[in-house]
Amino acid sequence: MNVLLNIDENSRVPLFRQIRDQLIHLVDTGSLRPGARLPSTRHLAERLSVNRSTVYRAYQELWSLGYLESRPGSYSTVRRRPKVAAATRGPAPGHIDWTKRASPASEALHAAHRREEALLQKASAPGVINFVPLSPDSRLFPMDAFRRCMNHVLRREGPDLLQYGAPLGYRPLRQFIAERMRLHGVSVTVDEIMITTGAQNAIERLLRLLAAPGAPLVCESPTYARAMDIFRLAGVQIVGVPMTEAGMDLDVLEQVIQRHGPALVYTIPNFHNPTGITTDQAHRERLLTICERHRLPLVEDGFEEEMKYFGKTVLPVKSMDHHGVVIYLGTFSKILFPGLRIGWIAADRRCIDRLASIQRTLILSGNLLDQAALHRFCRTGHYDLHVNRMHRIYRRRMQTAIKALRAAFTDGPVHWTEPAGGYTIWLRLHDVAAAEDEIVQRLLEHGVMALPGSFHFHGAADGTYFRLSIAHLDEAAITEGIRRLAAGIEDLYRRPDERNLS
C-alpha cells in the first residue's frame, strides 16, 4: 500500500517521530484502516531517503503503542485498537458509579470535604477577612536561611539523601527532637522517636497499630477536625467526652472507659484545637493516672507545644510518663513550614518498633532530603531564632485579638476563650435563633469569615460556636476582622424589623 508521508529534515522533531506521528494520524483519521499492510521498512526507507533503522524504530514504537501487528518475516499491518481517551474539562461519563464503589467512610469524607471546600472558596473571596486557616503566616517564613540549609545538605550528603532511608527517619533530626523534648521535661532517646509526614500521618499510623475497625476511640468534644476525619476513615467508633473550662471532663472520661473499653484516648492538652484551652498540672496528673490504671494508651497531641505566650508553662503529660502509656505527637507545621510535612511520634521503644514496621510497609521511608535540611536549619540556630520571632509576633497578634473582642462584645450573649498560646479562639453565641449556615452568610455579607464549630464535633454540637484563627492575619486585619465579626453577630440578634430598617 502506498503511504504518503512528508519528512522535514530541518525540523527539530526526530525523523522516526515524524514517521510515527504521521502514521498515527492516518490510522486515527481512518485513512489507514485495520488490516491495511504497510510498506516494508526497506521500501519505506528508500522512498523517504532515510536510514532503514529510522523506519524500523518508528514501526517498533507503533507496535508498542498498539497500532501495528507484526510477525517475523511478514509485513506490518494496521491493528484495530481503541481510540486514545481525550482529556475532558468536566466529569466524563463512565461505567463505574464511584458513589457506590467508594467505601461508605470515604464517600462521607468526600461529602464533608466538598462542604468545607465550598466554605473556604467563599472565605477566600476578595475583600473577605478570613479567620479560618490554621497555617502560619507565610510572610514570616525564613526562606533564605532554609534555602542555604537545603543547598548545604545537598552538597554534602546529596546521593545518600536521595536514596530510601530508615523507616524511623533521619537519625540526626531524631536526635535533635529528643534533645528539644528534654527542654519540655520529656526524657526520650533517639530510638523512641519516629519521623512522620506531619501530625495527621502520625495519627493514621497509630490507628493502624492500636485500633481495629469498629473499636471505640475516646477524644474531646469538640476536637481537631482533621483527626476526626482520620478516625472516621479508619472506621473506629468515636466516643466524645465534653470539654469544660478546665479541659476534658475527667469524670465523664472514667465512665466512658468503663462503658466502652476504648483502644486509646486522644487529647490536646495545650492550646486545644478548637477551644484554645490549656489544661493545668492537676488535670494532666489525673488524666495520666486514669490511663495508667486502665493500661490505656494516651495519645497526647502537642501540635503547638512551642507556641506559648502568656502565663506559666505546664509540662506535657509525657513528661510524667513512667510506664510508657503516653504517645506524644509533635509537628513542625504550626511553628515553621507546613509544606515540609514533618512531624514525629515519641513513645515507648516497643511501640516505635511496631510503628516502624507499619511505616516501612506503607512508604518505606520519609523524605530524607527535607529532614536533613530541617536538621541543618535547627542545628545552626535558625530554629531558635524563628521560634523567638514567632513568639513576639503572635503574642502581639493574640493580645490584639483579645483586646478587640473585649471592645466589641462588652456585655451580651457572645463569650470566648482567652488562650495562653497557639492560634485559636473559641466563640460561643448564646440564645441565637439563626442556623449555622445563615450565620455564615451574614458574616460573609459583612466581609469576614470564621470556621463554623460544627466541623469540630462528632454529631450535633451543644450550642452555636465559631473558631477564630489568627495564624494567617496581621494585627490590622485582626482588628478590622473582629469589628466586622461584631457587626455581623450584632445583626443576628436584632429583631427582623430592625434589620429591615438598617
Side-chain angles (χ1 to χ4, degrees):
M1 179 178 183
N2 290 328
V3 178
L4 298 178
L5 303 177
N6 296 313
I7 300 300
D8 183 359
E9 295 184 353
N10 297 319
S11 172
R12 291 187 176 182
V13 180
L15 297 178
F16 83 91
R17 192 170 297 168
Q18 293 183 48
I19 298 170
R20 181 201 67 186
D21 291 348
Q22 290 183 51
L23 288 172
I24 287 175
H25 177 73
L26 292 173
V27 173
D28 287 345
T29 58
S31 298
L32 283 176
R33 297 185 177 278
R37 193 170 70 176
L38 294 186
S40 68
T41 55
R42 181 171 61 81
H43 287 159
L44 187 57
E46 289 175 355
R47 188 181 307 162
L48 298 176
S49 300
V50 298
N51 193 290
R52 185 178 179 183
S53 62
T54 302
V55 178
Y56 179 79
R57 184 175 179 184
Y59 278 17
Q60 283 293 105
E61 291 213 0
L62 289 167
W63 174 82
S64 65
L65 292 170
Y67 280 93
L68 297 184
E69 290 181 339
S70 182
R71 297 182 181 86
S74 176
Y75 285 96
S76 296
T77 58
V78 175
R79 178 179 174 273
R80 186 183 299 277
R81 70 181 300 280
K83 290 184 178 180
V84 175
T88 58
R89 292 189 176 183
H95 290 306
I96 297 177
D97 184 345
W98 294 107
T99 61
K100 295 179 179 178
R101 285 291 181 181
S103 69
S106 66
E107 192 63 16
L109 184 66
H110 177 63
H113 281 190
R114 292 283 295 272
R115 176 191 170 217
E116 182 181 344
E117 287 167 4
L119 175 73
L120 293 176
Q121 186 175 6
K122 294 176 182 177
S124 302
V128 175
I129 296 177
N130 188 1
F131 283 103
V132 174
L134 197 55
S135 54
D137 192 337
S138 56
R139 293 170 293 186
L140 305 178
F141 289 171
M143 297 296 300
D144 290 339
F146 190 75
R147 185 183 299 110
R148 291 194 297 271
C149 293
M150 179 66 78
N151 291 339
H152 177 89
V153 298
L154 267 174
R155 286 195 303 269
R156 295 291 185 90
E157 305 177 64
D160 292 335
L161 298 176
L162 296 173
Q163 275 287 0
Y164 292 121
L168 293 182
Y170 188 64
R171 188 177 180 87
L173 179 58
R174 288 160 48 213
Q175 183 64 50
F176 172 83
I177 291 170
E179 295 169 13
R180 189 81 186 181
M181 291 193 70
R182 290 184 198 120
L183 298 179
H184 295 283
V186 178
S187 296
V188 290
T189 67
V190 65
D191 294 320
E192 294 173 312
I193 291 173
M194 183 176 86
I195 306 293
T196 62
T197 310
Q200 289 171 247
N201 174 249
I203 294 169
E204 187 266 345
R205 294 293 185 265
L206 287 171
L207 290 183
R208 288 183 180 271
L209 176 68
L210 299 171
L217 178 151
V218 173
C219 61
E220 292 130 342
S221 180
T223 191
Y224 175 36
R226 292 282 179 263
M228 283 198 297
D229 286 343
I230 299 169
F231 300 160
R232 294 179 184 120
L233 193 59
V236 299
Q237 176 192 349
I238 302 173
V239 183
V241 174
M243 290 284 286
T244 70
E245 292 182 357
M248 181 189 289
D249 189 325
L250 297 183
D251 292 333
V252 174
L253 174 63
E254 295 219 57
Q255 298 169 14
V256 163
I257 292 174
Q258 291 286 356
R259 188 179 308 123
H260 293 279
L264 60 91
V265 174
Y266 171 79
T267 184
I268 310 174
N270 266 5
F271 327 128
H272 178 264
N273 181 11
T275 67
I277 292 171
T278 294
T279 61
D280 63 18
Q281 180 67 21
H283 186 282
R284 297 180 188 211
E285 289 174 4
R286 185 181 170 196
L287 173 60
L288 178 59
T289 299
I290 291 170
C291 291
E292 286 179 338
R293 186 167 65 247
H294 292 278
R295 299 179 181 270
L296 183 61
L298 175 61
V299 178
E300 178 181 13
D301 192 339
F303 77 111
E304 287 180 346
E305 194 75 56
E306 302 273 18
M307 296 296 287
K308 183 171 182 60
Y309 320 132
F310 316 117
K312 295 181 180 179
T313 299
V314 186
L315 295 180
V317 182
K318 182 67 176 170
S319 67
M320 302 177 285
D321 182 25
H322 298 287
H323 303 290
V325 169
V326 182
I327 302 170
Y328 183 93
L329 311 184
T331 180
F332 289 96
S333 294
K334 296 298 184 286
I335 188 71
L336 190 55
F337 305 122
L340 278 182
R341 310 306 301 131
I342 295 178
W344 70 91
I345 300 172
D348 182 275
R349 173 69 182 270
R350 291 162 295 183
C351 174
I352 293 294
D353 286 346
R354 286 160 174 78
L355 286 168
S357 298
I358 295 172
Q359 185 87 320
R360 184 170 67 176
T361 300
L362 295 175
I363 63 168
L364 291 178
S365 66
N367 187 322
L368 289 186
L369 178 59
D370 286 350
Q371 293 175 26
L374 177 57
H375 171 257
R376 172 75 181 175
F377 182 88
C378 294
R379 284 297 189 197
T380 51
H382 295 299
Y383 183 67
D384 284 328
L385 290 172
H386 178 69
V387 170
N388 291 336
R389 182 180 180 225
M390 293 284 278
H391 281 177
R392 291 194 305 270
I393 291 171
Y394 279 102
R395 184 184 299 114
R396 291 196 301 268
R397 293 185 181 185
M398 186 61 77
Q399 288 170 336
T400 298
I402 297 300
K403 181 181 178 180
L405 286 168
R406 289 173 179 169
F409 303 107
T410 51
D411 291 303
V414 179
H415 295 88
W416 63 90
T417 57
E418 296 193 6
Y423 300 129
T424 61
I425 300 171
W426 191 235
L427 264 66
R428 180 166 189 175
L429 280 59
H430 294 273
D431 304 321
V432 62
E436 192 177 74
D437 289 345
E438 182 184 344
I439 300 173
V440 166
Q441 187 57 41
R442 191 62 52 80
L443 295 180
L444 284 170
E445 290 170 3
H446 284 78
V448 67
M449 180 45 56
L451 185 67
S454 60
F455 283 96
H456 292 280
F457 287 91
H458 179 65
D462 62 353
T464 302
Y465 300 91
F466 280 83
R467 190 197 73 186
L468 300 183
S469 168
I470 64 166
H472 231 59
L473 302 173
D474 59 24
E475 292 160 63
I478 290 169
T479 301
E480 174 60 18
I482 290 176
R483 186 196 68 77
R484 297 182 188 183
L485 183 79
I489 291 175
E490 181 183 353
D491 198 25
L492 286 168
Y493 286 100
R494 290 179 182 173
R495 295 193 307 271
D497 57 333
E498 291 176 333
R499 288 203 296 267
N500 292 334
L501 287 173
S502 64

